[in-house]
Amino acid sequence: MANDDKSTTADKGKGKAVETPEKKDKAVDGDKKDKKDNVPEELSEEDQQLKSDLEMLVQRLQEGKTELYKPTLEAIKDFIKTSTSSMTAVPKPLKFLRPQYPTLTSLYDQWQEGEDRVAFADILSVLGMTYADDDRLDSLKYRLLAPTKDPGAWGHEYVRHLALEIGMEYAKRQEKESDTTDLKDLGLSLVPFFLKHNAEADAVDMLYELELIERLPEFLDENTYARVCLYMVSMVPLLSPPDDLVTLKTAHTVYRKYNKLPQAMTLAIRLNDIDLIHDDFQAAEDPAMKKQLAFLVSRQGIWIETADEEIAECLNNARLSSHFLALGKELNILDPKTPEDIYKSHLENTRGPAASVDSAKQNLANSFVNSFVNAGFTADKLMLVEEDSNSWVYKNKDQGMLSATASIGMLHQWNVEPGLGVIDRFMEANEDYIKAGAALAIGIVNSGVRSDSDPAMALLCDEQYIESKVPQIKISAIMGLGLAYAGSQRADLKEILLPIVADTSLTMEISAMAAVSLGLMFVGSSDGDVSSAIIQTLMERDEAQLKEKWGQFLALGLALLYMGRQEEADTVLETLKVVSEPISKNTSVLVDACAYAGTGNVIKFQSLLTLCNSHIDTSDDEKKGEDTFQAYAVLGLALIAMGEDIGAEMALRQFGHLMHYGESVIRKTVPLAMGLLNASNPQMKVYDTLSRYSHDNDLDVAVNAIFAMGLVGAGTNNARLAQLLRQLASYYHRDPNTLFMVRIAQGLLHMGKGTLSVNPFHTERSVLSRVATAGLLAVLVSLVDARNFILDTNHYLLYFLVTAMHPRFLITLDEDLKPLPVNVRVGQAVDVVGQAGRPKTITGWQTHNTPVLLTYGERAELEDDEYIALSHTLEGLVILKKNPDWQGKE
């Protein structure tokens, strides 16, 4: 007997393990019967008993005695509910009732309306799970026939199955355009069950399928809202318009409801909704919280007015320079560096005699490198040396003087008053180029900070600058205004610059620069006046002028207005069809790419890839420039894909294909696109690929690959990249143009002595700064034709990078905005969306005392609970409050 028991127990285990998959197979392939199925399965005594009991109950239902219906149905219900089985196996009662299912469904149809029939439908709905035939949505059919207040009574698996069938049925009804109210009501009744059982993702997904996502906030409470919003916000890059905006608005509503203002503000900034930003800002009653929100808004470059002086200081970024210098002091890097400290020429193994040294080109490179490396540190060894401060400027020629003088602005970045004091000496110079450089320096020093006195406006709108008869001074003044007021959307500046765009008697260069400056000021605002003025100019100028190299900058100015506006750009794209080719095609591609910047929109990505397919013969002089749109399409691929990691991976793979099979105009742009995709994020695979391209036979490709290496490593001091660039300096020592670009890349790599970043994403890579993207794009568009711009006399266009430069620090402040050093853990950020419990958000951390530098993909968190951070992400300037419940370390 003991042996029998043993065998039974063993068989039980075996029976389950072997039989379950077969059963599932049966469920899937109704008719495909295996030979094994013909062998009767040996059941244990208990199972046999259960099977016969269930068969007897089904028999009883068939007898037609109405008084037995209720107790019989109750009995079946009890059997199903009380069955215990392992997680993976189908519950036994469902297994044994499955063969009876057709009998039961036909029986249901014969019954009269009434309570019993509803109870019967309830049971059939559960049994319907075992009949997983795509066309028969039985669980749903019978659930709708048996309404219930508690759909979760049958357990989690049943509710998930039901949600799946609701989604399928909803899609079918949408196609037929039939009524879906009952499905929506049933779907909404499942939401509380999902939220209660930690299945937030299932609840959100089902509401997306039913197009009811805005109804979500009414079901949330204190315990569930955080996980739900995290899931929703992380889905945004994967959703198609208009779902993405609806999701952000819904999450914003939830955060506001639970008074999580920093999170709400971040989403309002992502929506680019100025009214919503004002609303969130005014909602903060605590002055410290208001200051924290001001830091978030000013980081994005949005201009808000306020009466409170302390808060205005935060909104204006007025103390950015002093915080940055405090960081430099903490890291012991205040000593100025010379360009030679960066080049380390003694490590370059130069072969053979160098070509005739173009000293002006070298000095120009030194001016740029000096300004990038010492950016914001207010001290250097070339320009700001008291005794012979003018001598370095005079070591440059013509436009070189302009760039050298303008570099003062970058050395005093964010530090307005002392900076203007130094620039003042050059404003009265006799040489027009030095004067022009001083105008540009004023714009650079005011970029990213505001002050009530508006010095940039006062100085540059003076008639000797913006009204100047010397084209170079006028252009510098216009560019300076664009840099100083990027993102400000100021109407008074619009009135000054619009006539310059529209005036066809001016050279193309002046009009185009005015268009770009307006694009920077009104970036992402889809301002009607500016866009109609630029389109009008595109129609009125004759074709020869539009084919000039500066014509592309008119297109760029228009594109910047629609940065991130998605479908709003469609009307402009229609209007552009009237403009003459090729400028109309170029502009359309740029506008389309900018409109979807950072969204990861797959449809747009594919449409731009298609543009890269066509082969255009540009051998005739007549057809020159007709293929430029392909270069913009490549830049557009990077612009769209940079919003989301998986899309960026795919884009890199596409760039590889374009490099193999593309025309030369595409090949020279691919490195720039790779640089944009990974700005200040030096990944080994990216810079190794760029290093390969930097030895390309086509010098245009090589020059752009070298710049992209600088962009990828910008502000990181990456040692491997520094070594690769030194090797390139010795490889190209005979070619002054390429060598110039190597020097620029070296300057970018050591930007701010390794404390700055040009990555346009901030707040844990969730928000795209439109101002930063605009600056990067302006530089990259000029590099599409590097020989005629950066390597020619328009190298000052590199200063557009200023709008994207920002310290990558974390500085903790107390409520009075005084520095408050605390211990923080810094490690690689981990994606914890949808994970159970409270998983660690960083991995491989080290503990540092603030202020600290954060590299791309790193995240910081406070070491203990002594302080509470007012911002939801520890990045940039963060205000800490003392925790009232803190008991001390013990």
Side-chain angles (χ1 to χ4, degrees):
M1 187 62 197
N3 289 351
D4 283 357
D5 270 0
K6 271 184 194 165
S7 66
T8 315
T9 327
D11 287 349
K12 260 192 204 167
K14 279 181 192 163
K16 236 180 224 176
V18 174
E19 174 274 338
T20 311
E22 278 181 29
K23 270 296 180 197
K24 279 195 179 164
D25 287 349
K26 265 193 195 172
V28 179
D29 325 312
D31 305 329
K32 294 182 188 171
K33 296 216 170 178
D34 215 275
K35 286 179 187 172
K36 289 181 187 171
D37 285 4
N38 301 332
V39 181
E41 187 188 345
E42 281 189 26
L43 298 174
S44 66
E45 282 178 27
E46 296 163 24
D47 290 358
Q48 193 60 55
Q49 180 65 39
L50 177 63
K51 190 174 182 191
S52 48
D53 285 351
L54 288 166
E55 281 168 357
M56 181 198 71
L57 290 168
V58 173
Q59 194 65 41
R60 195 180 290 169
L61 288 175
Q62 289 169 315
E63 288 167 5
K65 293 181 181 169
T66 45
E67 69 277 6
L68 292 177
Y69 286 172
K70 193 168 184 181
T72 310
L73 292 170
E74 286 295 334
I76 293 178
K77 207 168 176 177
D78 285 347
F79 271 127
I80 296 176
K81 283 196 171 178
T82 54
S83 81
T84 52
S85 66
S86 68
M87 284 291 283
T88 50
V90 179
K92 291 277 167 57
L94 294 185
K95 199 159 81 180
F96 298 143
L97 282 170
R98 190 170 183 280
Q100 311 287 345
Y101 187 66
T103 320
L104 291 171
T105 48
S106 56
L107 195 58
Y108 173 81
D109 297 334
Q110 297 160 20
W111 282 21
Q112 300 294 319
E113 289 293 334
E115 275 186 34
D116 293 345
R117 195 166 191 244
V118 172
F120 197 3
D122 192 22
I123 290 172
L124 286 176
S125 175
V126 180
L127 288 178
M129 278 203 297
T130 60
Y131 244 90
D133 191 350
D134 281 351
D135 301 329
R136 291 178 59 168
L137 303 175
D138 281 5
S139 287
L140 177 60
K141 174 181 151 188
Y142 289 112
R143 175 47 61 220
L144 291 171
L145 291 166
T148 171
K149 290 221 167 53
D150 180 19
W154 288 106
H156 199 261
E157 200 49 52
Y158 170 69
V159 178
R160 286 188 59 180
H161 188 82
L162 198 55
L164 178 74
E165 291 194 355
I166 290 173
M168 289 156 78
E169 176 66 17
Y170 185 79
K172 283 183 192 169
R173 288 199 199 175
Q174 285 288 81
E175 278 174 25
K176 297 175 190 161
E177 295 185 2
S178 51
D179 182 45
T180 55
T181 321
D182 52 346
L183 290 179
K184 288 184 171 179
D185 293 343
L186 179 59
L188 289 171
S189 72
L190 301 182
V191 173
F193 177 84
F194 279 135
L195 293 176
K196 196 170 152 195
H197 293 82
N198 295 335
E200 293 90 355
D202 291 338
V204 174
D205 292 346
M206 185 180 67
L207 289 177
Y208 273 123
E209 287 183 334
L210 297 176
E211 297 172 2
L212 287 173
I213 195 68
E214 52 273 18
R215 292 281 304 273
L216 182 62
E218 64 199 65
F219 296 101
L220 298 177
D221 60 24
E222 285 284 346
N223 304 319
T224 50
Y225 80 89
R227 287 168 58 88
V228 170
C229 287
L230 182 66
Y231 178 69
M232 283 167 67
V233 173
S234 62
M235 271 175 71
V236 170
L238 310 172
L239 296 171
S240 54
D243 280 351
D244 49 358
L245 298 180
V246 173
T247 304
L248 285 173
K249 282 177 185 153
T250 310
H252 178 270
T253 312
V254 176
Y255 279 136
R256 275 300 299 271
K257 184 176 166 187
Y258 293 99
N259 204 28
K260 293 288 178 196
L261 289 171
Q263 288 94 321
M265 179 62 89
T266 306
L267 298 184
I269 290 172
R270 280 180 71 171
L271 285 163
N272 199 23
D273 184 332
I274 300 295
D275 297 334
L276 209 54
I277 292 170
H278 271 285
D279 199 32
D280 289 351
F281 190 65
Q282 299 307 334
E285 289 160 11
D286 174 12
M289 176 57 83
K290 213 159 194 167
K291 289 173 192 168
Q292 184 63 65
L293 295 180
F295 287 139
L296 281 174
V297 173
S298 64
R299 174 68 182 91
Q300 179 68 356
I302 293 171
W303 292 40
I304 294 183
E305 301 306 325
T306 179
D308 186 319
E309 280 189 20
E310 272 204 326
I311 290 164
E313 209 173 57
C314 303
L315 279 169
N316 297 347
N317 266 336
R319 295 197 194 169
L320 187 57
S321 177
S322 56
H323 289 310
F324 182 61
L325 291 169
L327 171 83
K329 189 174 179 185
E330 186 74 20
L331 299 174
N332 200 14
I333 48 172
L334 287 178
D335 295 345
K337 288 198 166 190
T338 61
E340 184 48 47
D341 294 339
I342 303 303
Y343 303 156
K344 300 193 172 136
S345 308
H346 59 281
L347 298 175
E348 295 170 10
N349 47 347
T350 313
R351 301 176 306 283
S356 58
V357 176
D358 182 353
S359 63
K361 198 89 176 167
Q362 269 192 338
N363 289 351
L364 177 64
N366 289 352
S367 300
F368 275 110
V369 171
N370 179 54
S371 69
F372 284 141
V373 173
N374 296 306
F377 282 102
T378 68
D380 76 331
K381 290 183 177 173
L382 291 185
M383 290 297 301
L384 307 176
V385 186
E386 282 302 318
E387 303 83 65
D388 46 358
S389 57
N390 295 343
S391 61
W392 180 257
V393 175
Y394 290 105
K395 286 184 181 167
N396 291 280
K397 279 198 276 193
D398 303 347
Q399 270 95 347
M401 288 183 173
L402 188 162
S403 284
T405 316
S407 72
I408 299 172
M410 193 173 275
L411 296 169
H412 278 282
Q413 180 83 60
W414 313 303
N415 191 14
V416 181
E417 285 177 9
L420 291 175
V422 179
I423 297 164
D424 193 47
R425 293 207 301 272
F426 295 90
M427 292 182 75
E428 304 305 325
N430 299 326
E431 284 85 354
D432 288 339
Y433 284 117
I434 294 183
K435 246 178 141 166
L440 187 50
I442 292 168
I444 294 172
V445 82
N446 281 288
S447 175
V449 290
R450 284 194 294 172
S451 61
D452 301 332
S453 56
D454 255 355
M457 177 111 173
L459 293 165
L460 295 177
C461 292
D462 189 271
E463 55 202 38
Q464 59 168 328
Y465 283 103
I466 197 112
E467 304 291 333
S468 172
K469 295 281 176 281
V470 182
Q472 198 56 63
I473 296 180
K474 193 171 179 117
I475 288 166
S476 294
I478 293 170
M479 180 172 166
L481 282 172
L483 293 175
Y485 294 101
S488 64
Q489 302 190 20
R490 283 182 50 163
D492 48 352
L493 287 163
K494 185 159 60 170
E495 286 165 18
I496 294 170
L497 292 176
L498 278 180
I500 300 177
V501 174
D503 187 349
T504 46
S505 66
L506 294 170
T507 62
M508 194 66 186
E509 186 174 356
I510 296 174
S511 277
M513 188 53 88
V516 174
S517 280
L518 281 166
L520 268 173
M521 288 173 198
F522 290 88
V523 64
S525 67
S526 55
D527 186 281
D529 301 343
V530 182
S531 61
S532 49
I534 295 176
I535 291 171
Q536 196 61 36
T537 308
L538 287 172
M539 289 176 184
E540 287 172 2
R541 293 257 179 185
D542 60 43
E543 275 189 50
Q545 283 180 312
L546 290 174
K547 278 190 173 176
E548 279 181 37
K549 62 181 186 177
W550 285 101
Q552 309 308 330
F553 278 85
L554 272 175
L556 175 67
L558 183 61
L560 294 180
L561 293 174
Y562 290 93
M563 176 84 68
R565 294 308 266 194
Q566 302 199 12
E567 287 154 358
E568 284 181 42
D570 293 351
T571 44
V572 174
L573 293 172
E574 281 302 310
T575 322
L576 282 170
K577 290 178 179 168
V578 190
V579 180
S580 60
E581 293 290 349
I583 191 84
S584 128
K585 180 94 174 170
N586 297 348
T587 314
S588 303
V589 173
L590 258 180
V591 170
D592 212 13
C594 278
Y596 289 88
T599 57
N601 187 305
V602 183
I603 310 292
K604 285 290 163 204
F605 190 90
Q606 287 166 343
S607 71
L608 289 176
L609 259 183
T610 317
L611 292 176
C612 300
N613 251 341
S614 42
H615 170 70
I616 293 156
D617 181 23
T618 52
S619 47
D620 303 351
D621 277 353
E622 299 252 314
K623 290 192 173 176
K624 261 211 161 59
E626 283 190 12
D627 55 359
T628 314
F629 73 89
Q630 292 186 316
Y632 298 150
V634 176
L635 285 178
L637 293 176
L639 262 181
I640 291 172
M642 67 185 178
E644 176 246 348
D645 295 342
I646 298 167
E649 286 280 317
M650 298 303 288
L652 279 176
R653 192 176 302 174
Q654 296 296 351
F655 290 152
H657 297 322
L658 290 172
M659 210 60 191
H660 279 292
Y661 307 113
E663 303 293 319
S664 65
V665 65
I666 291 176
R667 291 188 72 239
K668 74 178 179 190
T669 321
V670 166
L672 298 175
M674 288 175 73
L676 178 59
L677 201 56
N678 294 280
S680 292
N681 174 21
Q683 288 178 311
M684 180 80 117
K685 59 179 179 193
V686 177
Y687 62 70
D688 272 1
T689 310
L690 288 171
S691 168
R692 250 198 345 269
Y693 297 157
S694 65
H695 295 80
D696 199 276
N697 295 334
D698 180 348
L699 268 184
D700 290 341
V701 176
V703 163
N704 285 352
I706 292 167
F707 179 82
M709 286 167 79
L711 191 59
V712 165
T716 60
N717 283 354
N718 186 296
R720 173 100 178 84
L721 261 171
Q723 184 191 356
L724 289 170
L725 289 169
R726 276 198 298 275
Q727 287 166 0
L728 283 166
S730 51
Y731 182 78
Y732 284 117
H733 71 283
R734 285 163 179 251
D735 178 356
N737 272 345
T738 321
L739 184 60
F740 172 71
M741 202 50 105
V742 174
R743 296 308 188 205
I744 296 287
Q746 286 176 308
L748 287 175
L749 175 64
H750 296 279
M751 184 187 278
K753 303 177 201 163
T755 57
L756 298 176
S757 162
V758 294
N759 195 292
F761 284 92
H762 59 91
T763 317
E764 288 196 347
R765 309 198 307 288
S766 64
V767 185
L768 176 69
S769 163
R770 291 178 165 80
V771 173
T773 315
L776 286 170
L777 198 60
V779 176
L780 296 178
V781 165
S782 69
L783 280 160
V784 167
D785 187 5
R787 283 169 195 250
N788 289 323
F789 282 111
I790 305 289
L791 298 177
D792 193 27
T793 53
N794 307 112
H795 33 71
Y796 55 86
L797 292 172
L798 282 171
Y799 286 122
F800 272 123
L801 278 175
V802 169
T803 60
M805 287 162 56
H806 202 273
R808 50 189 184 91
F809 56 30
L810 159 63
I811 291 183
T812 45
L813 309 168
D814 63 16
E815 292 177 58
D816 301 323
L817 304 186
K818 302 274 186 296
L820 173 66
V822 292
N823 280 348
V824 289
R825 300 189 183 121
V826 179
Q828 279 299 310
V830 181
D831 187 14
V832 294
V833 178
Q835 288 188 18
R838 290 191 180 169
K840 287 266 184 282
T841 53
I842 55 175
T843 178
W845 67 77
Q846 291 177 321
T847 305
H848 297 283
N849 197 288
T850 57
V852 292
L853 286 179
L854 298 174
T855 49
Y856 183 91
E858 277 189 340
R859 184 182 285 162
E861 55 182 44
L862 293 172
E863 187 183 37
D864 50 38
D865 298 333
E866 185 178 352
Y867 291 97
I868 299 170
L870 293 185
S871 170
H872 59 302
T873 55
L874 290 191
E875 190 175 304
L877 300 167
V878 177
I879 298 173
L880 302 181
K881 261 187 154 172
K882 196 83 173 147
N883 184 353
D885 305 330
W886 173 246
Q887 304 288 336
K889 292 214 173 193
E890 300 309 315

